[in-house]
Amino acid sequence: MELSLIIPAYNEEDRIIPTLREAYAYLLKKKVPFEILVIDDGSSDNTIGVLSKLKQELPALHIIPIAKNKGKGNAVRKGMLAAKGNIRVFADADGSTPIEELDKLLLPLSTSNANITIGSRYITSSEVIKAQSKTRIAWSRTVNRLVQGMLLPGILDTHCGFKAFTSDAAERVFSMCTINGWSFDLEVLTIARRLQMTIVEVPVKWANDERSKGKLKHLPREVYSFFKIKRAAYRSLHKPKAS
């Protein structure tokens, strides 16, 4: 198994099918062994039903159901640790970053010492096809400044849902993760930095989907998670060395 594509899904019956069909067709053209894992995060709609029907058409599609909704971080973690690929990529169900951008993501893993590559909307050569609302942009930039200043300096876009990992990086990092919510990206990258892994940011095309599951009402929980990650990083940095 060369490549695993992991897609977390929660109540995605209306938009995940085109994303999966496009990804499947693209990966077939690459002529490398692949698998697509959809981790259903306790959906209350018919996501499992439409996926089960689609599996008859796409044999390399695998469905991993989670009985109770726990959050995107938990779903991605389950997928990364269940995957078999030498390279493991996670992408969003809405297809906000086109699958055709995958080669950009994979290139540093094969041509440099990169362990992790992350798609970025904020590098100069990135292309935002459809922008977020002004309120969301302001919120995103404020959070980014906080993250860069206190946790992950030098990483411009921590939350773009398009990231690739070598199998070793995926297994080491995600086996240490505990955050289930939207801040899981911060924990993943913080742990990777702590393990001295090389993270490369690449420009990608990206289009906002107004149906995004991330809501401003989640902000207090994510602020709590941010400081939890920051505290864990501080403790690790100042952990007494064994004599």
Side-chain angles (χ1 to χ4, degrees), residues 15 21 26 67 71 73 117 147 227 233 235:
R15 61 180 183 175
R21 284 202 171 115
Y26 180 80
T117 53
V147 169
F227 284 105
R235 288 174 177 171

Side-chain angles (χ1 to χ4, degrees), residues 8-218:
Y10 176 64
N11 292 346
E12 294 289 358
E13 65 174 342
D14 293 331
R15 61 180 183 175
I16 195 170
I17 299 304
T19 299
L20 290 173
R21 284 202 171 115
E22 290 169 13
Y24 208 95
Y26 180 80
L27 293 174
L28 278 177
K29 290 178 183 177
K30 292 186 73 67
K31 299 186 183 303
V32 297
F34 71 91
E35 62 178 357
I36 299 178
L37 280 63
V38 177
I39 295 75
D40 180 76
D41 188 25
S43 293
S44 58
D45 67 355
N46 194 37
T47 296
I48 287 288
V50 298
L51 289 174
S52 299
K53 185 176 180 180
L54 187 65
K55 182 170 172 54
Q56 300 172 28
E57 176 187 332
L58 311 179
L61 172 64
H62 305 282
I63 308 162
I64 300 178
I66 298 174
K68 184 178 180 180
N69 174 248
K70 292 186 178 180
K72 184 179 180 181
N74 179 66
V76 172
R77 183 165 68 247
K78 294 284 188 185
M80 281 286 172
L81 295 177
K84 299 176 182 177
N86 299 322
I87 302 297
R88 303 176 190 182
V89 178
F90 80 78
D92 288 336
D94 61 4
S96 52
T97 301
I99 191 63
E100 289 79 14
E101 299 293 280
L102 182 62
D103 283 346
K104 295 179 184 178
L105 206 61
L106 299 183
L107 186 61
L109 299 179
S110 60
T111 60
S112 68
N113 294 322
N115 306 104
I116 300 169
T117 53
I118 62 177
S120 177
R121 298 161 289 185
Y122 303 144
I123 294 176
T124 303
S125 51
S126 301
E127 184 180 348
V128 176
I129 301 167
K130 183 180 180 182
Q132 296 171 305
S133 67
K134 291 181 179 180
T135 301
R136 279 189 170 273
I137 290 173
W139 171 44
S140 178
R141 296 300 166 85
T142 299
V143 170
N144 185 262
R145 284 194 290 270
L146 178 68
V147 169
Q148 284 220 49
M150 298 181 63
L151 193 63
L152 291 164
I155 297 181
L156 298 178
D157 190 355
T158 54
H159 280 79
C160 181
F162 201 57
K163 295 180 173 67
F165 301 75
T166 63
S167 56
D168 177 69
E171 288 166 10
R172 291 177 67 195
V173 170
F174 282 94
S175 65
M176 298 172 67
C177 290
T178 62
I179 300 294
N180 290 336
W182 290 92
S183 294
F184 82 97
D185 296 271
L186 302 181
E187 184 182 40
V188 166
L189 298 175
T190 300
I191 290 173
R193 279 259 176 101
R194 195 167 77 214
L195 295 175
Q196 299 183 323
M197 293 182 179
T198 300
I199 303 169
V200 174
E201 204 166 0
V202 298
V204 294
K205 293 180 181 178
W206 183 84
N208 179 52
D209 189 323
E210 297 297 337
R211 297 168 295 177
S212 170
K213 300 293 193 305
K215 305 298 181 184
L216 288 174
K217 67 181 181 181
H218 298 150

